[in-house]
Amino acid sequence: MAADLPPPGLTHVRADGTAHMVDVSAKAVTARRAAAAGRVLLSPAAVAALRGGVVPKGDALGVARVAGIQAVKRTPDLIPLAHPVAVHAVEVDLDVVDDGVEIRAVVRTADRTGIEMEALTAVSVAALALVDMVKAVDRHARITDIRVTAKSGGRSGDWEEPA
C-alpha cells in the first residue's frame, strides 16, 4: 500500500492520514438500533446498600439511569467524529446482581448513520454516575466489560453479540 493512503476501511481517515468527519449526507435515512452493556463490580456492602435502598447519596440506580439517558444526547460533544443524530428512544436498565450492577442501554433513531456510540455513551455515563453515587460505601468500584451487544439498520446490516 502506498504510504499516503489510509488502510482500506478506515472511513474517518483522509488520504493524508488526518482524521475527518465522514460525509453522510447522501446516505438514506433508515431505522437504526444499537444496544450496549457493561458492569460495575461492587463490594458486598455496596450491593446490600443498593438492594436495601440505603445508599447515602440517595437513589443511585435512578440517578445512573437518568445520567445514561442524558448522556446519549451529548455523545457528539464527547466523541469528536460522532455525528449529531436525532435520538428517538433511549432505554437504560440497571440490575443489581451479586457482584455489582449490570447496565444495558438500547438507543433508537431514524437517521443516516449508526447509533452505537450513543449506546456505549449511555452505559459508560450510567456506570460513572453509579460509581459516584456509591463511592461512600465502596471506594473500589470497578467499571468493566462495556461493549456493543447488538445493532440493526444501515448498510452493514444487523449484528448481535454471540451468546
Side-chain angles (χ1 to χ4, degrees), residues 2 6 30 45 48 91 100 131 134 157:
T30 60
E91 300 167 29
V131 169
V134 302

Side-chain angles (χ1 to χ4, degrees), residues 68-89:
I69 293 167
Q70 286 182 319
V72 167
K73 299 181 278 184
R74 301 302 300 248
T75 300
D77 296 331
L78 301 169
I79 310 297
L81 301 181
H83 291 83
V85 295
V87 175
H88 294 119

